[in-house]
Amino acid sequence: MKDLNKYKGMLLEERAKLEKELSDLGIMDPETGDWGAYQSEAGEANVSDKNDAADFDEDFLTRANTLGEIEKRYIDVKNALAKIERADGSFGKCEVSGKDIEEDRLDANPAARACKEHMNN
Ligand SMILES: [Zn+2]
């Protein structure tokens, strides 16, 4: 029997951490729930300087990439929490084979969506 409360606690903790990281990097569109990276204020002020503008673009792209990675993880965490809330037994089941996800895998990553056999699909 899986300890859902334990995983829920881990997921809530991670969700709070990810929300903090997301809000440091960008802002959420309240209509779509999607996150977008902040534009740099310094970059806008120096748009006439070509070198600074290039730096600004690079910073923005780096920030947008990092934000995208964090957002992917954030969505997995939210989906895992939703499965626990639904209490329909879907949490901890492989989305590919429908088998139980190994407990050591869930302990390492409670937002896992697939068992070890299918984790790279
Ligand atoms: Zn599987």
Side-chain angles (χ1 to χ4, degrees):
M1 187 65 197
K2 286 187 289 275
D3 184 351
L4 290 184
N5 277 329
K6 177 179 77 173
Y7 294 124
K8 187 176 177 183
M10 288 166 73
L11 287 162
L12 286 173
E13 210 171 284
E14 185 169 3
R15 188 179 67 178
K17 200 186 99 203
L18 292 169
E19 277 172 352
K20 166 89 177 57
E21 288 177 16
L22 286 168
S23 62
D24 284 346
L25 287 165
I27 191 157
M28 189 179 74
D29 181 332
E31 282 187 16
T32 62
D34 289 336
W35 288 80
Y38 281 128
Q39 302 281 349
S40 153
E41 286 167 34
E44 280 174 37
N46 290 312
V47 144
S48 58
D49 183 317
K50 270 189 184 164
N51 286 327
D52 279 7
D55 283 350
F56 151 67
D57 279 344
E58 216 166 286
D59 282 357
F60 175 71
L61 286 178
T62 305
R63 206 156 46 234
N65 280 334
T66 309
L67 190 96
E69 290 302 315
I70 298 171
E71 191 178 14
K72 264 189 236 162
R73 178 73 195 159
Y74 178 64
I75 289 168
D76 281 351
V77 168
K78 275 206 306 190
N79 284 342
L81 279 167
K83 285 179 185 174
I84 292 178
E85 291 301 325
R86 283 204 302 271
D88 59 0
S90 58
F91 175 79
K93 288 266 195 295
C94 174
E95 290 183 5
V96 180
S97 60
K99 288 187 203 156
D100 282 330
I101 297 174
E102 297 83 355
E103 207 164 323
D104 60 336
R105 172 148 166 75
L106 281 179
D107 285 344
N109 175 16
R113 295 170 57 183
C115 69
K116 287 178 186 170
E117 194 186 336
H118 301 112
M119 62 192 277
N120 294 316
N121 284 20

